Amino acid sequence: MPHIEREELTPEESDQLLLPGGRPPLWKHMESIGAVGLQQREGVPSCSQKGLPCPSDSSELVLECLQQFKVTQTQLQQIQTSLLGSMEQALGGQASPASTVRMLPTYVGSTPHGTEQGDFLVLELGATGASLRVLWVTLMGTEGHRMEPRSQEFVIPPEVMLGPGQQLFDFAAHCLSEFLDAFPVSTQDLQLGFSFSFPCHQTGLDRSTLISWTKGFRCSGVEGHDVVQLLRDAIKRQGAYNIDVVAVVNDTVGTMMGCEPGVGPCEVGLVVDTGTNACYMEEARHVAVLDEDRGRVCVSVEWGSFGDDEALGPVLTTFDHALDRESLNPGAQRFEKMIGGLYLGELVRLVLAHLAQRGALFGGCTSPALLSRGSILLQHVTEMEDPLAGAARVHAILQDLGLSVGASDAELVRYVCTAVFTRAARLCAAALAAVLSRLQHSREQQMLQIAVATGGRVFERHPSFLSILQETVMLLVPECDVSFIPSVDGGGRGVAMVTAVAARLAAHRRLLEETLAPFRLNREQLAAVQAQMQEAMAKGLQGEASSLRMLPTYVRATPDGSERGDFLALDLGGTNFRVLLVRVTAGGVQITSQVYSIPECVAQGSGQQLFDHIVDCIVDFQQKQGLSGQSLPLGFTFSFPCRQLGLDQGILLNWTKGFNASDCEGQDVVCLLREAIGRKQAVKLNVVAIVNDTVGTMMSCGYEDPRCEVGLIVGTGTNACYMEELRNVASVAGDSGHMCINMEWGAFGDDGSLGLLRTCFDANVDQASINPGKQSFEKMISGMYLGEIVRHILLHLTSLGVLFRGQQTQRLQTRDIFKTKFLSEIESDSLALRQVRAILEDLGLPLTSDDALIVLEVCQAVSQRAAQLCGAGVAAVVEKIRENRGLEELTVSVGVDGTLYKLHPHFSGLVAATVRELAPRCAVTFLQSEDGSGKGAALVTAVACRLAQMDHV
Ligand code: 0WK
Ligand code: BGC
Ligand code: BGC
């Protein structure tokens, strides 16, 4: 960081520097009043140049003093560069060396659209020192004409500014009530924007933690706290009005946003009132703390603390150090203490006292007022400095301070005021130049055209402050075309603008919460699903009316490791149709497989076409594997509800998951396959077993872990099977041993038992499906439907104006355009919001960053409900097994497969957490199946072949 060097001024420089308001340079003035010894000045080095103690004559003393307030162009450039460096360091989130400017994101992402409308209360605290202001602002939207805000100022007693924080916020709440008592307003729902002019870490438009007090404030119990909550609590304690605090902004932001429509937009807000600060619209991607790569965000620079690391050393005068030592926050806000209106009067006082005590002013006499801190206010200085005020006013002010004013004193005092003010304006200009340079960098624009909104009483009351600032900015950043726009009514309107945006976002948040609330299932609701499922299981097993068919699979045991041989396996019903060769040896299982597609026209064509297509794939596979002509035992994973009459007999009850081939429902699909094999002369195949993919998955995992007695699929569809006690299976003879039951839980709730959980979005998806009224549980959980549920919610939120500015897009109205895999991608932790946006933009959705956040929340709500419902189902199954066996504790494994379960970043974790919550007496291990259920089908076939051989022996 460049250092700011100490510098002596050439006479030209001093001439050039001290002439605002068209007054002669000081030495010329001294000459005109016949000050002795000045002539020596031309070309004669000053006493300090000679390093000698200062001569007593007043002019030298005054010159010596004011010399300290001269900041050269070089020093201003160094300040500009140093501040720019600090800003970029803080933006990059670089911790050390710590930057002295904070660069605080404000959550204001855009300058006003002009569409904002409504009535808003505004509370301004901190901008104008010992007063707060309440305003009632009416925004008229694009109708343009402006309603004059009604406002009232309240003086804050010093003991309130320095007392307990609660007292300050109660005072503010009291002022709000007093204002509303005085100006009754029609509406009850009062929305308030809180302009809080202190450095705060914002975590939202209505959440802001005070970092440290500045200016004349130092209330206890506030730093480190959320000031919005403190105000809300105070308003509640006051209890007079129901006021909703919807936004908190820094006064610079209010100033920037309050820029007169039509002249702006202003993209920089500059305040010089009791304190000073600026904000500007930075590219979001440059703000490290924000996870954003597009759009802009308003950043409050908090330049008041620039130089708190001594970087300003050389330009700080002895008076600055004295002022800082006496201030409420020594060592802090050093830059502000050279510019802010709260300090300029004090600086002037310190200089006057210094000069008086050395005889250069007021005949060497001081007064108690002159020696007491804060006796000279900004008001005094602006008046004394004002070229029109004339010497008389100066005399009056100085006499009020108990000073006897000599002939030249008044003019000298004005020179002191000018010196202090001019330096403040020039330093402020250097800081603004740093912000403008930052904007040039951030927008990669050499020539920058920008509008700066200015606010604060230093601007309002000291006309030449702005002209000096403008001049100096032009010197420092000549390539920037800067227009200065005085903010109307001190930023109150700007605060109302932000409040309007915040109110809109808050309303959107409420609508979003209302929309997603039915997806947020609590423990009671999940426990109810578990209980209903257990009840439906018991009824299904007994053959009573139940939405759970509880289909016996004729798989009575999980593999025992003695299986051997080569088997063909088919895996139909998931995302992919696979043909597999499974070799089971003592050393384990080798699998060779090939994926084939099932075109929609085949899946929804004739049954014959579908099974002929299957046999064609088998033939192709056999040829590729050199198995042609071999008749290997075949296991058929057929992932649809089948009533099995034996291991190799399965009557298709109904299609699910987008399949709808004709002439199959009610048929034995093993026969359909055998007929298709028969139609293809060349092929000889021995179909030994038909299994559901849940059973195949359980068997496949059971081969590694014999405790695996449950199979779970969460993919295109969803379902589960488990090893039930044969005695509980009414439809199968026998009381001992086990039978694997295919629950077909996808149909759970088809009897309306899930009605309470069903949302209108579920109803939309069901009505649009090829099997309306069927597979209710599946349609709330599985991959084929989650994307559609999300799409319907997004359409709904767009119609409410919450998303995409209410613009419905053709794309979003297209069925299945929002794939379930998008949920897995969007919810992946490693994916920043920007990638979320990329996915959505590929869908042709014009979105803002808020939109991307909302879409993320919708995906989370839908997938969370799916995972929790699935978890409630698994809890019902493992509790059934535990109760079946009369065990206190059950240890069991669940074999799982399915794209959604495997690829979604949080699904599996949420299922396990829900099972732990609802079945605490079951220790459940979830085993992700690596080889799919084809291996399981082969193992079932192997077991069947082994049992058949034993029968023949
Ligand atoms: C892979 C299994 C198959 C099952 C599928 C389900 O091998 O039997 O049907 O998982 O997941 P999906 O492919 O539907 O996501
Ligand atoms: C505060 C800023 C504020 C500025 C102008 C400073 O003391 O830290 O937040 O914007 O004063 O009011
Ligand atoms: C079918 C089940 C299958 C599940 C998972 C459901 O649609 O009815 O038989 O297990 O999908 O693939």
Side-chain angles (χ1 to χ4, degrees), residues 31-161:
E31 195 171 70
S32 69
I33 60 170
V36 295
L38 201 55
Q39 292 357 15
Q40 282 131 340
R41 188 176 144 69
E42 290 309 328
V44 179
S46 69
C47 54
S48 59
Q49 287 160 340
K50 286 187 257 147
L52 299 172
C54 295
S56 61
D57 88 354
S58 56
S59 62
E60 279 304 330
L61 261 175
V62 174
L63 267 178
E64 193 63 37
C65 238
L66 300 189
Q67 181 102 354
Q68 294 187 47
F69 284 89
K70 294 171 194 163
V71 185
T72 66
Q73 171 120 354
T74 315
Q75 287 174 319
L76 290 173
Q77 279 154 345
Q78 289 163 348
I79 288 170
Q80 175 190 353
T81 314
S82 171
L83 178 53
L84 178 60
S86 283
M87 288 170 65
E88 292 179 342
Q89 199 186 308
L91 277 176
Q94 208 181 313
S96 72
S99 159
T100 52
V101 288
R102 295 199 172 93
M103 304 302 281
L104 303 166
T106 67
Y107 287 78
V108 169
S110 62
T111 45
H113 301 149
T115 58
E116 295 78 7
Q117 54 187 337
D119 296 316
F120 300 96
L121 257 181
V122 172
L123 171 67
E124 288 182 342
L125 177 60
T128 52
S131 68
L132 66 80
R133 202 161 64 123
V134 181
L135 299 92
W136 180 255
V137 181
T138 302
L139 300 177
M140 310 298 281
T142 43
E143 279 169 37
H145 71 275
R146 212 164 65 73
M147 285 279 283
E148 219 25 66
R150 281 180 278 164
S151 72
Q152 187 174 351
E153 190 136 342
F154 298 85
V155 175
I156 309 172
E159 66 278 13
V160 173
M161 291 171 69

Side-chain angles (χ1 to χ4, degrees), residues 573 639-641 656-657 692-694 713 717-719 744 775 778:
S639 312
F640 302 93
T656 64
K657 292 177 291 187
N692 183 264
D693 53 356
T694 54
I713 296 285
T718 183
N719 187 14
E744 284 300 332
Q775 301 294 101
E778 177 161 273

Side-chain angles (χ1 to χ4, degrees), residues 743-808:
M743 299 175 63
E744 284 300 332
W745 80 5
F748 177 54
D750 284 7
D751 56 0
S753 55
L754 285 176
L756 294 178
L757 300 183
R758 198 172 144 86
T759 67
C760 58
F761 310 109
D762 297 312
N764 297 351
V765 170
D766 180 46
Q767 267 130 38
S769 72
I770 60 172
N771 55 352
K774 297 268 178 52
Q775 301 294 101
S776 310
F777 197 55
E778 177 161 273
K779 285 173 182 166
M780 296 167 105
I781 292 177
S782 77
M784 183 153 195
Y785 306 101
L786 295 191
E788 271 299 278
I789 296 172
V790 167
R791 185 177 70 85
H792 280 282
I793 297 172
L794 300 184
L795 285 172
H796 172 68
L797 291 171
T798 307
S799 67
L800 295 175
V802 171
L803 266 179
F804 315 129
R805 292 179 202 258
Q807 283 151 35
Q808 293 287 12

